Amino acid sequence: MSTIKDVANLANVSVATVSRVMNSSDYVSEETRAKVLNAIEELKYKPSSAARVLAGKKMMSIALVVPDISNPFFSELARAVEDVAQKNGFSLFIGNFYNKNTREKDYIKSMSNKYIDGFIFASSTLTEEDIDTLIKKEIPMVVMDRAATIGGCTVIKCKNYDGACIATNHLIQLGCREIAHISGPGEFVTSMERLKGFEDTLKSHGLYNPSLISHGDFTIDGGRQAMRSLLNTHPNIDGVFAANDLMAIGAMKELKAMGKEVPRDVSVCGFDGVQIGDIVEPGLTTIAQPIYELGSLASQTIIDATMGKLNSKDTYELDIKLVERGSTGKMRV
Amino acid sequence: MSTIKDVANLANVSVATVSRVMNSSDYVSEETRAKVLNAIEELKYKPSSAARVLAGKKMMSIALVVPDISNPFFSELARAVEDVAQKNGFSLFIGNFYNKNTREKDYIKSMSNKYIDGFIFASSTLTEEDIDTLIKKEIPMVVMDRAATIGGCTVIKCKNYDGACIATNHLIQLGCREIAHISGPGEFVTSMERLKGFEDTLKSHGLYNPSLISHGDFTIDGGRQAMRSLLNTHPNIDGVFAANDLMAIGAMKELKAMGKEVPRDVSVCGFDGVQIGDIVEPGLTTIAQPIYELGSLASQTIIDATMGKLNSKDTYELDIKLVERGSTGKMRV
DNA sequence: TTGAAAGCGCTAACAC
DNA sequence: GTGTTAGCGCTTTCAA
């Protein structure tokens, strides 16, 4: 691996000059610039990130911290984040925290001394304190699925509340009268907002019944279990709104196992819009988030922030949309 | 951020001593060690990775380069890789190359000067030359899905050929006589090995017909398209072996759209064993790879290699197993 | 427009 | 046992 010194020697200039052309700072005569460029080319010189960082530059890498990368929502998100990062010359770190708050904090600790320039926390359960730690280190961050702005960090989310209202209304309009909700873990703002939208909508229609709410953990299996217990106490449920697609799919599996047909007996609606919603049978009606857009926006925002471009907005709330498929529809009357 | 100097000052020792206790090298008296430890604690000192790297140490991070992180096979793999990395104090970089050979090479370039200690290439299309580049830089690497060992890098794969034979035999035993294969892109060894297993098995049963082979691109849509063209020329196909689960799912969708029922009219078998194979309807029979094991083995191998623990084996071939679900079974006779 | 040199935080001889 | 110090490769004043 050749160093800046090698380049300087070959080009017959000083290392400072090489540094100048690398960073296109200061003025360098066309002639010297050409010489240096040639030398760089010839030696296939790549500056050492570690040395640059030590000298006060950026590492050009960002981290995405998710609950579980094997969850399709997050892997689709990661793809978007990485695409944008790559286009900007940034590398992407990935960390899974499996809903273990401790592990999420560990990432802050273990990665921040690796000179990561920015963090994206997806679906985080970070406390204000954790966030302060990062802010004190002046490491920019964007948080997804967070209620409101916390000083100094951008929030990017989608309209969870509105989406839940749309989903619930959709079910009501289809004729469902005993509508259950499979909610996500209570520590996520996402879960809370979707739950609120569900409750408010039902209340306004006089259909609210708290015993029709069960909690899942955002996994297929969790959705299945929640559906089972719901069905035990309320065998006549005719509509289900799950806080994410995975749980909705689990619910559909359980429904089928219990001899209920979707959508004839029960209509099911999910939330997220992940690709597998389109391959299950029947196709899953869902409130689709613009996942790719969410990821690329987060990525671009954090990259801009590392370069000192401050963001004018501190909260982005992207629109969701109802995607109707076979899991909601005509019911037996 | 406090530095080693701050710690040294506070503990009234030299930086060398601090370095010693950090790296538990050399002897340090219990007394001084305690003083230093206290100072470290008090200042919440974290050594700078960049500085350590410059001084000749490891960055403690590895990279996983995949075609597409949003493909469930790779996201499940990534999860395993990250788990093991995290346990060893390593961070994980992720790169997508979208089957663009150029981009895969770019990763080698752009990441290697970021002091990544090791690479895992999954499903790579790297040439010997590319690999040589890394070997010359003395960066250890493991390659998944590669035919054989290339000097200096460990190969981790599963028994593709055997798996394809098992799948094909399974179809034959079910009574299928006109069996098609949806193969993966020709540049992947994986595709080739699975194709070979398919061909050999059919030949040995006198059922081989090259026009029953179509190529897909490992995506659902690719599988759908391949199935369509296959059905055009061979409307009586009664068995399909796809080189991965995603394409098998695409084939099932197309079959359904064309009025064929699975498995009554056509039996379908995939390869990989990703989780969604279990949520489609009917469930997908598949040759399951031990994905988590593959990922954790790769991760541990590369981490060991960065620490100088050379691996005794240079090729691992993990076993696969046939997982029978609803997509293969009783046919109409 | 260019060069010399200090310094970023750490490790590892080499002294003591 | 512990301290001193010379780098590691780069950026950036400060001079020239």
Side-chain angles (χ1 to χ4, degrees), chain A residues 4 19 23 45 47-48 52:
Chain A
I4 197 173
S19 176
N23 297 287
Y45 166 69
S48 148
R52 304 193 66 191

Side-chain angles (χ1 to χ4, degrees), chain A residues 246-268:
Chain A
L246 254 27
M247 293 196 298
I249 288 168
M252 280 171 53
K253 288 205 94 155
E254 183 62 20
L255 249 8
K256 184 169 184 191
M258 303 291 265
K260 301 271 190 181
E261 195 177 305
V262 174
R264 199 197 56 181
D265 302 320
V266 185
S267 275
V268 177

Side-chain angles (χ1 to χ4, degrees), chain B residues 13 17 30 35 39 45 67 73 78-79 95 110 118 133 143 182 202 205 242 246 249 296 299 325:
Chain B
V13 296
T17 302
E30 268 319 311
K35 276 198 302 185
Y45 166 70
F73 177 78
R79 176 182 161 144
S110 84
T133 310
V143 182
I182 301 179
L202 281 195
H205 285 262
L246 254 27
I249 288 167
S296 51
S299 195
R325 299 205 188 94

Side-chain angles (χ1 to χ4, degrees), chain A residues 281-310:
Chain A
E281 203 60 51
L284 178 66
T285 292
T286 190
I287 302 296
Q289 303 193 53
I291 308 184
Y292 196 90
E293 207 182 330
L294 238 25
S296 50
L297 177 61
S299 195
Q300 195 62 61
T301 303
I302 201 71
I303 288 172
D304 287 349
T306 67
M307 320 247 247
K309 280 185 224 161
L310 291 171

Side-chain angles (χ1 to χ4, degrees), chain B residues 78-93:
Chain B
R79 176 182 161 144
V81 172
E82 208 274 331
D83 274 4
V84 172
Q86 220 268 348
K87 279 189 193 115
N88 286 272
F90 277 65
S91 307
L92 176 67
F93 279 106

